[in-house]
Amino acid sequence: MAGPADFDLYRTSEEHDMLREAVRALAEAKIAPHAAAVDEEARFPQEALDALVGSDLHAIHVPEEYGGAGADALATVIVIEEVARACASSSLIPAVNKLGSLPVILSGSEDLKKRYLGPLAKGDAMFSYCLSEPDAGSDAAGMKTRAVRDGDHYVLNGVKRWITNAGVSEYYTVMAVTDPEKRSKGISAFVVEKGDEGVSFGAPEKKLGIKGSPTREVYLDNVRIPADRLIGAEGTGFATAMKTLDHTRITIAAQALGIAQGALDYAKGYVQERKQFGKPIADFQGVQFMLADMAMKLEAARQLTYAAAARSERTTEGATKEDLTFFGAAAKCFASDAAMEITTDAVQLLGGYGYTRDYPVERMMRDAKITQIYEGTNQIQRIVMARNLP
Ligand code: CAA
């Protein structure tokens, strides 16, 4: 993939364009045909996982030295965008694989990277991210899950809530309190495995959208793990969690772009076919203005998201740009708000038909809603932006 300088102009390279074409073709052939059933039956999109693993697109961000494709942030955005255009639930496979594993990539020891990134890159394991709890959502540092050192081990106890792909993933990055006196500075990050004794899962949440992506509680009941599963130093877990979100909020923006693009593409076709008052409704200026606004908002969101992705790349000194935190929050907030408006307008353009499950736009509207909520609500994104004004 091209180097960071190429996207300072917020343009995609030829390689990125080829990647988009390939993912779009794969998503249309192998993911889109199952999207309605996955939603209707609230079942895991196994066909999508198989297709993504088959084409090495399930965790494209994993660095080459750990067996991955080593794709840059913009390429990862393009993969998520194109999968979400077909099926938002399926786009959570590459997105959450990045979210779950990024703490290890950013702060983990060489040994942890080798142990956990290889199976992820091969498609043998998925990775989830466990930050939120029943009483610690926006106030993530208010978490209660405890990790207590016991010789060469840590013992974890607590409940994590809203965990995407829980039960399906083999690996979990778990944030837990190691020193309750220190609030955010007393939180540490660990890798927990699905098979560790004492790990269990709640029933899948019954959600408005992204029904194919299982969301469950993760219960940690005296889970005893080797101390070398600690990611980074004790007390750095909250900073690692926040740094991770700086990068991955961009992937939620990508998901929002894809959902919105899917809705806009469908509505564009529909208004040519649907006739009222003796002509296609696309001939009415009121309809044209709606489509123009939808496309304008989508393109603005895309440009901001790609600009954020450029900032997600490391500089030659190994640091990320200082304004990444602002850009990550801004892209997620702007793109998700745009997706909500665009998908709602798509339903409006289809009228009564848009309100039924016989057409895909109502699913897209339901799926868009979550992008305004997870990886930090858009109210939290505004707090993050205000604290990090460029
Ligand atoms: N990078 C590095 N370090 C950071 C950081 C960042 N972006 N943001 C904060 N920190 C560190 C700092 O070291 C800071 O300490 P200093 O005082 O030394 O600077 C420390 O963390 C505490 O930071 P704050 O004082 O800003 O913490 P806060 O308690 O006020 O919380 C918050 C800040 C932005 C509200 C944060 O709690 C937050 O982002 N909340 C939302 C949580 C969230 O996004 N959850 C998403 C769950 S994952 C999910 O949804 C996945 C899914 O399903 C797909």
Side-chain angles (χ1 to χ4, degrees), residues 265-287:
D265 289 349
Y266 196 88
K268 245 167 43 186
Y270 180 87
V271 298
Q272 306 285 346
E273 301 294 322
R274 173 72 174 166
K275 289 198 176 77
Q276 290 292 278
F277 306 99
K279 55 183 177 181
I281 60 171
D283 288 357
F284 292 100
Q285 200 176 43
V287 167

Side-chain angles (χ1 to χ4, degrees), residues 92 95-96 99 129-132 136-142 161-164 183-185 210 215 238-246 249 252 255 325 370 373-377 380-381 383-384 387-388:
L92 283 162
V96 174
L99 174 66
Y129 178 85
C130 302
L131 178 68
S132 304
S138 293
D139 181 12
R161 184 174 281 182
W162 313 122
I163 307 309
T164 301
R183 208 178 126 88
S184 69
K185 296 283 196 297
I210 55 155
T215 310
F238 190 74
T240 298
M242 293 297 116
K243 276 188 221 158
T244 296
L245 292 170
D246 285 346
R249 283 172 176 154
I252 300 304
Q255 188 187 31
T325 303
I370 191 61
I373 298 172
Y374 60 17
E375 294 215 21
T377 62
I380 289 294
Q381 304 310 318
I383 291 174
V384 173
R387 288 181 184 175
N388 294 278

